[in-house]
Amino acid sequence: MTTFSKIIGVGSYLPETTLSNAELEKSVDTSDEWIRTRTGIESRHIHAPHETTSDLAFHAAQKAIQHAQLANTDIDLIIVATTTPDMVFPSTACLLQQKLGIHHGAAFDIQAVCTGFVYALSVADLFIKSGQATNALVVGAETFTNLLNWQDRNTCVLFGDGAGAVVLSKSNDPGILSTHLHADGKYADMLCVPGHVMNGETSGNPTVTMDGGAVFKFAVKVLSQVSLEALTHNAMTIDQVDWLIPHQANIRIIEATADKLKLPMSKVIVTVQKHGNTSAASIPLALDEGVRTGRIKPGQTCLLVGVGGGFTWGSALLKF
Ligand code: ACO
């Protein structure tokens, strides 16, 4: 019998503190009107000073494990997709493992920025299909606001903090139908944090820099490309997809992608207005909201598509 992997639990967490567009107007030369019309974002969540990425991940993970009706100790693989780890090392996954009281199995981070969750889901799927794991906890978690220059209106209005998680388990029926991952490092300069830590000092610029227009065009192009790649691979057409769950960066990127795919927006999960771009957390946050609100139902077909710095992009087509 073929082994599949299937999502059996979802969860998410957004920090308590919110920062609305109106509040941002007070500290940077922008307006609620500009942000809403250009991005669709209305508000974002900001982590408390004591909250780290692994704390956000912990809350989302606990909800996903409970939703899956498993005990923490049933988890034998933890993958955290993050651009904002608590420390250089140990990995955020190891710190999360300790918080969950798990002391067995593998735990590691994946760094593919906003495509991180799709990358992590793909790796977990392969671990399960190859028999190396039974119950994987796959998390996208970010304290992305730590990477922002709050005086740079080109970038600081776009991002927020949050975490989303799924439990992916061994299953006799699908499950994940396919994943496709891509990267091309020649686009590194288009979106990056060019600073790093060297000999205990920050070297270079440790905040997000971006060519917004170029990112916009690239994102629409590859999100539609990778969606069609997944459909072709599975001999499916777009009308067989119940839900598109795209990376939540900008409503105009999402609408342009849906338009290219000839998919009505009523079949797209959109949460960007509530939390802005939460990088690796954005897709599992949207997935969790779709499930909790009863829109995504068991047996439905979901197409997850992501794009992010690197550049990286990818898809996961699955039966929920
Ligand atoms: N408030 C007011 N004005 C602003 C702001 C702001 N927050 N930010 C930029 N501007 C100004 C610029 O300075 C520029 O002014 P100028 O014309 O005088 O030079 C002007 O607005 C640009 O306006 P538009 O051309 O209308 O902006 P555009 O429609 O290109 O939208 C945006 C800009 C929102 C950045 C868009 O290009 C975008 O969303 N790009 C994608 C960026 C993104 O999503 N990055 C996230 C990471 S990538 C990822 O997740 C895939």
Side-chain angles (χ1 to χ4, degrees), residues 29-31 34-35 38-39 114 153-154 157-159 191 210 212-213 215-216 219 247 249-250 252-253 277 307-309 311:
D29 181 16
T30 190
S31 67
W34 193 97
I35 302 171
R38 299 317 196 286
T39 72
C114 305
R153 67 178 185 172
N154 290 300
V157 304
L158 301 175
F159 297 93
L191 173 66
M210 174 185 83
V215 169
F216 192 103
H247 171 48
N250 179 318
R252 288 162 55 218
I253 293 177
N277 184 345
V307 55
F311 253 73

Side-chain angles (χ1 to χ4, degrees), residues 72-73 75 78 94 97-106:
N72 291 2
T73 49
I75 301 293
I78 300 176
C94 285
Q97 189 205 38
Q98 162 66 12
K99 286 180 180 166
L100 290 168
I102 303 170
H103 302 287
H104 62 268

Side-chain angles (χ1 to χ4, degrees), residues 183-192 218 221-222 309-313:
D184 192 340
K186 84 172 169 228
Y187 300 107
D189 293 344
M190 212 156 78
L191 173 66
C192 60
F218 188 85
K221 185 179 84 173
V222 298
F311 253 73
T312 57
W313 61 104

